[in-house]
Amino acid sequence: MFRKVLIANRGEIAVRVMRTLREMSIASVAVYSDADRASLHVRMADEAEPVGPAPSSESYLRIPRIVDAARKHGAEAIHPGYGFLSENADFAAACEDAGLVFIGPSAASIRSMGSKTAARQIAVAAGAPVAPGTDHGATFEEAREFARTHGYPVLLKAVAGGGGKGMRRVDRDADLESAHRNASSEAASAFGNPEMYVEKLIERPRHIEIQILGDRHGNMVHLGERECSIQRRHQKVIEECPSPLMALYPEMRAAMGQAAVKAARAAGYYNAGTVEFLVDADRRFYFLEMNTRLQVEHPVTELVTGLDLVKLQIEIAAGAKLPFTQDDITWRGSAIECRIYAEDPANNFLPYPGKITRLAEPSGPSVRLDSGVYEGWTVPMDYDPLLAKLAVWAPTREHAVARAGRALSEYHVGGIRANIGFFRQILEDPEFRAGHLHTGFIEEFLQRTKAPVSPEDVDAVAALVAALHASSQANGGQSLPAATSAWLTTGRGEFLR
């Protein structure tokens, strides 16, 4: 087993990996940019090394600097987390060339499955169903020809993409050229590759993914599914395991699991990975892509299966065999995760960096918080504004939804804006509670409900009411209006409702 591992990442995922390393008695090395000098992951690491200025292109994405940091500190392996270099085949190859173990799949697997078009070709060869689309990077002219042949709407997607970046829905011919240009520019900035491909858009699909795990000895299993249909701007924000759909049609889990394992085997895959599918209204599923890394939403799988995916990743990278077979995998209860972002739901979910002046975090039975922040820390504007992941487990989905709502009611972040109150509204929505989910859920939710209330708006009203109350007391104790008094006694949560 390794004695020291460098984590080529930041924020909550770096902290999460460190915790497993500590349980395994493995020393951790953090890397950090100038903007992250005081970050929680730097404070928690056994050792830390600066790798450059705030822009990720000059720090977290600089392969030579990351490799040099690992050599300097005597690390034997590198865990990439997710994002940044986690799906960069050149980084995996550079680790190998430097005599370091990359805690993930081989560079060859990343190249074959990291390219969305190459992954489609592998999936087809493995017998997995795919949506109509191009199997190569498409120029604007090729995208237009595809759209006119198959009909609108279509979806433009980055060949090297992920996380919703470089993705555009196009509903008519007149919008295609500008959408292709803008998506390509975004993809070049995010992934260093401007290539786009195009797929026929499946309307109102569910986004369901299968967690797979394989070792270097040819053993591979799937760990079930995650429902990831609640998204904004193609970015997942609420995930759960199991999918409410699978609860009704459990045979789908077996079919999708087999398709995922076949596709991964065709790529010679090992370590942790995720095969993503879209499911249409008729319960037909289509291969979407494969993420050749640990997913943001892996905690819900861990809560339901009782497995530590990071520990398994590390053991597999060190040469161990999987300690179980497919028949040994069981799923118990229901888990839900909410991604807590520094963003303003009332302003089109725009990022909201700044100093965290107050932080009250939830706890209690079966509540897990993977956080990368602390009170007094300033959220930088240079990176994804994910603050933490709140995940809960309960014996049933109904109980898990209630538990998540309770945990969110205990969660307060001051000084910046966050999406906590918005999640509470979604969890109380009858459509969500009924499991009627699809990737356009949030857009429809916003259309049929009132706009999200900003936490800062609530604080402003609270300050005003408190001032009025103090003024009334100073003027002989004149009573406030009944509604105001009721709010003062029931608290902020009831006011939001």
Side-chain angles (χ1 to χ4, degrees):
M1 182 48 64
F2 310 117
R3 292 168 299 173
K4 187 181 294 186
V5 171
L6 181 140
I7 303 159
N9 219 294
R10 63 179 298 277
E12 66 83 18
I13 186 58
V15 172
R16 187 264 173 273
V17 173
M18 284 175 196
R19 288 184 167 134
T20 287
L21 290 174
R22 191 155 295 166
E23 291 175 8
M24 299 176 72
S25 299
I26 300 173
S28 61
V29 181
V31 292
Y32 62 92
S33 69
D34 291 347
D36 277 336
R37 185 175 298 274
S39 291
L40 183 61
H41 79 282
V42 177
R43 292 185 170 196
M44 286 189 61
D46 296 305
E47 302 170 27
E49 182 70 20
V51 288
S56 57
S57 61
E58 299 180 39
S59 52
Y60 294 110
L61 293 176
R62 287 294 182 95
I63 293 175
R65 292 182 185 176
I66 303 295
V67 171
D68 287 346
R71 283 171 161 170
K72 177 180 176 181
H73 287 264
E76 300 148 290
I78 294 181
H79 194 298
Y82 54 73
F84 292 136
L85 296 170
S86 63
E87 293 184 278
N88 188 306
D90 291 338
F91 180 49
C95 291
E96 185 177 344
D97 292 342
L100 300 164
V101 177
F102 180 76
I103 301 177
S106 67
S109 291
I110 294 175
R111 284 196 177 94
S112 59
M113 297 306 280
S115 165
K116 308 309 179 187
T117 51
R120 280 176 56 90
Q121 296 169 16
I122 291 172
V124 169
V130 299
T134 59
D135 292 328
H136 58 276
T139 64
F140 159 63
E141 289 77 13
E142 290 172 323
R144 182 172 58 187
E145 181 180 353
F146 175 90
R148 289 176 175 177
T149 300
H150 294 272
Y152 289 94
V154 297
L155 197 61
L156 296 171
K157 302 173 72 175
V159 168
K165 295 182 176 64
M167 186 182 295
R168 296 290 189 281
R169 171 181 173 143
V170 185
D171 291 286
R172 57 179 188 158
D173 208 60
D175 298 332
L176 184 62
E177 185 172 11
S178 61
H180 190 281
R181 181 176 59 252
N182 293 337
S184 179
S185 175
E186 184 175 286
S189 175
F191 312 112
N193 184 343
E195 281 192 292
M196 305 298 300
Y197 72 105
V198 59
E199 283 183 348
K200 175 62 179 173
L201 184 72
I202 300 172
E203 295 279 12
R204 293 168 58 90
R206 300 179 85 112
H207 187 146
I208 299 178
E209 62 190 27
I210 300 290
Q211 175 72 59
I212 61 101
L213 196 66
D215 62 27
R216 296 188 183 217
H217 305 278
N219 304 303
M220 184 173 292
V221 300
H222 74 83
L223 303 181
E225 81 284 353
R226 293 184 289 258
E227 173 92 47
C228 304
S229 299
I230 307 300
Q231 306 177 3
R232 53 108 177 92
R233 296 196 299 270
H234 305 292
Q235 177 68 62
K236 308 163 191 173
V237 292
I238 297 178
E239 302 98 351
E240 54 184 300
C241 176
S243 162
L245 187 65
M246 299 298 195
L248 298 175
Y249 305 99
E251 67 277 6
M252 285 189 66
R253 174 183 293 147
M256 292 176 70
Q258 290 174 4
V261 168
K262 283 183 179 179
R265 283 192 184 279
Y269 200 88
Y270 56 79
N271 214 276
T274 301
V275 182
E276 305 198 345
F277 297 93
L278 294 180
V279 181
D280 66 17
D282 296 318
R283 301 195 307 277
R284 294 183 297 238
F285 62 87
Y286 304 90
F287 173 86
L288 177 62
E289 63 185 29
M290 183 173 187
N291 294 127
T292 57
R293 52 170 168 80
L294 190 69
Q295 291 281 84
V296 179
E297 57 272 18
H298 74 274
V300 293
T301 296
E302 294 184 324
L303 289 172
V304 170
T305 62
L307 301 172
D308 183 335
L309 292 184
V310 173
K311 183 174 185 288
L312 288 163
Q313 279 192 294
I314 295 167
E315 291 173 342
I316 290 169
K321 292 183 179 181
L322 284 179
F324 43 72
T325 66
Q326 188 65 61
D327 291 340
D328 297 321
I329 306 300
T330 59
W331 297 272
R332 186 176 69 91
S334 181
I336 295 177
E337 175 183 285
C338 297
R339 300 190 190 186
I340 309 302
Y341 283 96
E343 64 182 19
D344 186 0
N347 189 20
N348 198 31
F349 300 95
L350 288 178
Y352 205 99
K355 185 176 181 179
I356 298 175
T357 57
R358 177 174 176 260
L359 183 63
E361 297 179 331
S363 60
S366 299
V367 173
R368 168 175 169 175
L369 186 68
D370 289 18
S371 177
V373 303
Y374 57 88
E375 190 172 298
W377 184 64
T378 298
V379 180
M381 61 184 299
D382 307 276
Y383 314 112
D384 185 271
L386 180 66
L387 304 178
K389 301 178 310 197
L390 174 63
V392 304
W393 178 91
T396 65
R397 182 177 188 266
E398 182 181 15
H399 190 175
V401 171
R403 178 162 283 163
R406 187 271 298 168
L408 288 166
S409 72
E410 297 176 4
Y411 205 159
H412 302 288
V413 182
I416 60 173
R417 298 187 181 183
N419 54 357
I420 297 168
F422 178 65
F423 283 144
R424 293 185 63 191
Q425 291 178 310
I426 286 186
L427 293 180
E428 292 172 356
D429 182 69
E431 288 294 294
F432 179 85
R433 287 177 174 257
H436 299 158
L437 313 180
H438 57 89
T439 57
F441 182 96
I442 285 183
E443 287 78 5
E444 292 188 5
F445 172 79
L446 291 174
Q447 290 174 0
R448 58 186 167 80
T449 60
K450 62 183 180 181
V453 178
S454 163
E456 277 60 40
D457 293 338
V458 176
D459 289 339
V461 173
L464 176 61
V465 172
L468 288 171
H469 182 70
S471 176
S472 71
Q473 295 299 312
N475 289 282
Q478 296 178 355
S479 61
L480 293 171
T484 305
S485 298
W487 178 78
L488 280 171
T489 58
T490 58
R492 172 176 174 151
E494 291 301 318
F495 177 78
L496 278 173
R497 292 193 182 95

